[in-house]
């Protein structure tokens, strides 16, 4: 099973403002099929609470900060995202939650698949059962 990891992105420094970018299959290990963003999250709210059977994601904090909690069925790990020049690679079959959103935070999510409700695992116990079958 692939591992989650922080991936540093190119950062071009300029006195007029900095620039970073993402190229599919160059900076992240998949071709981008869908892009979405999460914003205006009320204080104390959590996003996510699911895993994917096939989809992989790359998550960047374009503005503000938030935490991504990943669970591979054996270990939970918290990644704090707060800079726009790196992001978190999330392979398939990781339970994901996003929490602790700062005011005006903006999360960019790049996905390896188009939206498919059948790809979601929304019940944690079913997620664990599926992982145990794949071992």
């Amino acid at each position: 099973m692939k591992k989650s990891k922080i991936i540093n992105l190119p950062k071009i420094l300029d006195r007029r403002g900095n620039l970073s970018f993402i190229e599919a299959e160059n900076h992240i290990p998949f071709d981008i099929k869908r892009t979405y963003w999460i914003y205006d999250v009320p204080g104390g709210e959590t996003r996510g609470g699911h895993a994917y059977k096939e989809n992989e994601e790359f998550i960047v904090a374009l503005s503000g900060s938030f935490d991504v909690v990943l669970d591979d069925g054996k270990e939970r790990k918290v990644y704090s995202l707060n800079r726009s020049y790196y992001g978190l690679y999330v392979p398939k079959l990781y339970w994901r939650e996003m929490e602790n959103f700062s005011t005006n935070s903006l999360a960019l999510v790049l996905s390896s698949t188009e939206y498919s409700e059948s790809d979601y695992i929304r019940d944690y116990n079913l997620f664990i059962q599926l992982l145990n079958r794949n071992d």
Side-chain angles (χ1 to χ4, degrees):
M1 191 159 93
K2 291 182 181 178
K3 294 285 186 188
S4 61
K5 63 182 174 181
I6 294 290
I7 297 175
N8 289 310
L9 299 170
K11 185 164 74 169
I12 300 170
L13 304 176
D14 189 300
R15 64 177 176 76
R16 301 168 297 165
N18 302 329
L19 181 143
S20 289
F21 58 94
I22 301 167
E23 294 176 346
E25 297 186 30
N26 185 4
H27 302 117
I28 59 175
F30 58 83
D31 193 24
I32 300 164
K33 299 288 186 185
R34 178 170 50 120
T35 302
Y36 63 95
W37 44 98
I38 300 169
Y39 56 97
D40 292 342
V41 178
E45 288 296 323
T46 300
R47 298 292 312 220
H50 58 265
Y52 297 105
K53 297 172 193 167
E54 296 299 326
N55 188 52
E56 301 170 76
E57 292 185 329
F58 186 68
I59 305 169
V60 179
L62 290 182
S63 180
S65 64
F66 51 88
D67 294 334
V68 181
V69 182
L70 295 183
D71 181 337
D72 65 2
K74 296 178 180 129
E75 176 185 11
R76 289 175 64 91
K77 189 167 182 182
V78 178
Y79 293 88
S80 294
L81 300 182
N82 56 17
R83 298 286 185 258
S84 57
Y85 52 83
Y86 65 82
L88 176 62
Y89 168 64
V90 183
K92 66 182 181 179
L93 295 176
Y94 272 74
W95 191 264
R96 169 174 68 77
E97 296 175 2
M98 299 169 75
E99 59 188 23
N100 298 324
F101 287 87
S102 68
T103 302
N104 295 323
S105 60
L106 173 59
L108 173 69
V109 184
L110 308 177
S111 298
S112 67
T113 64
E114 294 177 0
Y115 174 80
S116 172
E117 180 59 33
S118 65
D119 192 39
Y120 282 75
I121 307 166
R122 296 186 187 274
D123 180 294
Y124 186 78
N125 292 325
L126 291 175
F127 166 69
I128 295 300
Q129 289 174 12
L130 183 61
L131 288 178
N132 290 335
R133 272 189 256 141
N134 288 337
D135 281 343

